[in-house]
Amino acid sequence: MSARQALIVVDVQPDFMPGGALACDHGDEIIPALDRLLRARVMAHVVATQDWHPPGHVSFASSHPGQQPFAQIDLYGHAQTLWPDHCVQGTAGAALHPAIDWAALDAVIRKGTDPLVDSYSGFRENHAADGRRPSTGLAGWLRERGVEEVFVCGLAREVCVLWTAQDARQLGFRTSVVWDLTRPVTATTDQATRQTLAAHGIGCIDSGELRAA
Ligand code: VGL
Ligand code: ZN
């Protein structure tokens, strides 16, 4: 275990599980191995992100009359996918998943709390009306603890995990995605996501490699 490494667990919440409001196919399959990884205390620093939207959030199709879930609109000059209502603050579907032992967790970053801005990355929100991408404070939290390398897992593979990993890399952290502890939410291919990771200098590992390290 290195004091310079952190695990970032992205959006492991019931609404992203099969049967949930914004289900990732086979999303529940990551739970046993993620639970084992957390219990094994292999990472010196563990942070989880929690998608945490107010009712009527701008990313919900229901907030845009005439629009359907998974449609794309222009929002402040950038593409915004419209989602089913999900991870509404205080609901059971927005909780950190109850089947996981979160005792090893050092911090939780809640994101998507601004009613008018979505947030896929755990590091910074999507583009706001003024063109900025407001920080969540996660990079500072990691840096002040001396973290230099992050391992990103959770849901969804090609949305919040990918955006979080891309920002981590761009902000100067050595970054890997723990592939077997992720699942996609859309019909994207594994090959496309893996290519994007490689193109951004992001590693791709198996959770077994973490436990063996
Ligand atoms: C996510 C879509 C909307 C995710 C969150 O966790 O990947 N995707 N909100
Ligand atoms: Zn969301």
Side-chain angles (χ1 to χ4, degrees), residues 184-205:
V185 72
T186 66
T188 179
T189 66
D190 288 357
Q191 196 198 2
T193 308
R194 283 180 183 273
Q195 276 175 1
T196 307
L197 294 177
H200 286 81
I202 299 165
C204 194
I205 67 162

Side-chain angles (χ1 to χ4, degrees), residues 12-68:
V12 179
Q13 299 167 258
D15 270 353
F16 296 116
M17 298 291 150
L22 180 46
C24 299
D25 271 353
H26 306 286
D28 53 333
E29 291 173 2
I30 72 170
I31 289 181
L34 176 56
D35 186 56
R36 263 182 276 129
L37 184 64
L38 290 173
R39 287 174 191 268
R41 298 275 203 287
V42 294
M43 285 287 143
H45 314 271
V46 184
V47 57
T49 68
Q50 189 173 18
D51 214 35
W52 192 250
H53 301 306
H57 190 254
V58 72
S59 75
F60 297 169
S62 62
S63 303
H64 303 266
Q67 296 286 358
Q68 295 299 315

Side-chain angles (χ1 to χ4, degrees), residues 10-13 16 22 24 49 51 53 59-60 80-81 83-84 86-87 111 118-120 154-162 183 185:
V10 175
D11 296 3
V12 179
Q13 299 167 258
F16 296 116
L22 180 46
C24 299
T49 68
D51 214 35
H53 301 306
S59 75
F60 297 169
Q80 170 72 48
T81 301
W83 306 104
H86 65 280
C87 296
K111 61 183 182 63
D118 207 358
S119 190
Y120 293 158
L155 303 171
R157 178 183 284 163
E158 81 287 26
V159 187
C160 292
V161 170
L162 177 63
R183 290 292 183 280
V185 72

Side-chain angles (χ1 to χ4, degrees), residues 1-7 41-46 104 106 145:
M1 171 157 99
S2 162
R4 307 215 172 270
Q5 296 179 326
L7 181 69
R41 298 275 203 287
V42 294
M43 285 287 143
H45 314 271
V46 184
D106 296 300
R145 294 170 76 107

Side-chain angles (χ1 to χ4, degrees), residues 99-123:
I100 287 177
D101 180 349
W102 295 103
L105 202 56
D106 296 300
V108 180
I109 296 282
R110 287 179 166 166
K111 61 183 182 63
T113 56
D114 184 330
L116 298 177
V117 186
D118 207 358
S119 190
Y120 293 158
S121 166
F123 288 91

